[in-house]
Amino acid sequence: MPGRVLLLDPPHRIFGALRMWTPSPGLMSLAAYLEDKGIAVDILDVTTLDRPWTDLKACLDKGQYDIVGVTCSAATFHFDALNTVRFVRKVLPRSTIVGGGGHFSLNAEAILNALPELDYLVIGEGEETFLELIRWLEKNGHTQACPVAGLMYRKKGEIQATPPRHLIEDLDVLPFPA
């Protein structure tokens, strides 16, 4: 059984009127896929919290998550996502932190260079890659090079990239978002 998994949409500096927007469709799809494969997962959209950083810390402390996935879908949220990864690392220093989303995917190497607190970065579609990463970490920890396709990560100070993952050809095989 994998450890506790949290998928996290960082606090964003947005107008108050936008606080009730739709949660990240990517995180909802990823959560549904993981749940369908037997992985229990929590989703937290921090933009909906009254005291984003304080409430996020309380959630992280309570959940004691082993794996935290942080999304960054657009350049607009770049600094918020980076600060969130740093914050998660301070609160949960032993957790594995995985980044994903469009902005992180497009800027993977630069993100990993700027963010030593980030353990893995999923490039492209996350469903299969994140599931395989969870299962691989369960068996191997961080002790060896990761063979899971569709990742970038740091090993002994060097950025490593695995082969690209093929796109999911039939999206109808995916469950409806959580």
Side-chain angles (χ1 to χ4, degrees), residues 25-131:
L27 290 187
M28 294 185 324
S29 293
L30 181 57
Y33 184 81
L34 294 174
E35 288 175 346
D36 190 56
K37 302 297 181 186
I39 308 250
V41 60
D42 293 335
I43 301 176
L44 180 61
D45 181 350
V46 183
T47 63
T48 64
L49 303 177
D50 290 327
R51 303 168 308 153
W53 296 104
T54 301
D55 294 345
L56 173 56
K57 182 176 185 318
C59 176
L60 293 171
D61 285 339
K62 181 180 177 187
Q64 288 298 309
Y65 296 97
D66 299 301
I67 299 173
V68 179
V70 178
T71 189
C72 186
S73 57
T76 305
F77 306 130
H78 174 89
F79 291 109
D80 299 323
L82 269 60
N83 288 331
T84 299
V85 169
R86 291 179 181 121
F87 186 79
V88 170
R89 176 60 66 217
K90 285 180 185 173
V91 177
L92 300 174
R94 291 184 179 91
S95 293
T96 298
I97 304 174
V98 182
H103 179 67
F104 275 178
S105 289
L106 291 171
N107 300 285
E109 190 167 350
I111 297 296
L112 281 170
N113 280 322
L115 201 56
E117 299 86 353
L118 188 62
D119 296 304
Y120 296 90
L121 211 149
V122 173
I123 312 289
E125 296 176 344
E127 287 82 1
E128 293 174 347
T129 302
F130 199 65
L131 174 65

Side-chain angles (χ1 to χ4, degrees), residues 109-161:
E109 190 167 350
I111 297 296
L112 281 170
N113 280 322
L115 201 56
E117 299 86 353
L118 188 62
D119 296 304
Y120 296 90
L121 211 149
V122 173
I123 312 289
E125 296 176 344
E127 287 82 1
E128 293 174 347
T129 302
F130 199 65
L131 174 65
E132 287 181 24
L133 177 61
I134 291 170
R135 290 183 174 160
W136 183 84
L137 287 168
E138 203 176 11
K139 293 177 185 171
N140 303 289
H142 296 277
T143 60
Q144 53 189 296
C146 182
V148 175
L151 291 175
M152 267 194 170
Y153 63 99
R154 196 176 299 93
K155 190 71 177 168
K156 296 182 182 177
E158 298 291 322
I159 293 177
Q160 308 290 317

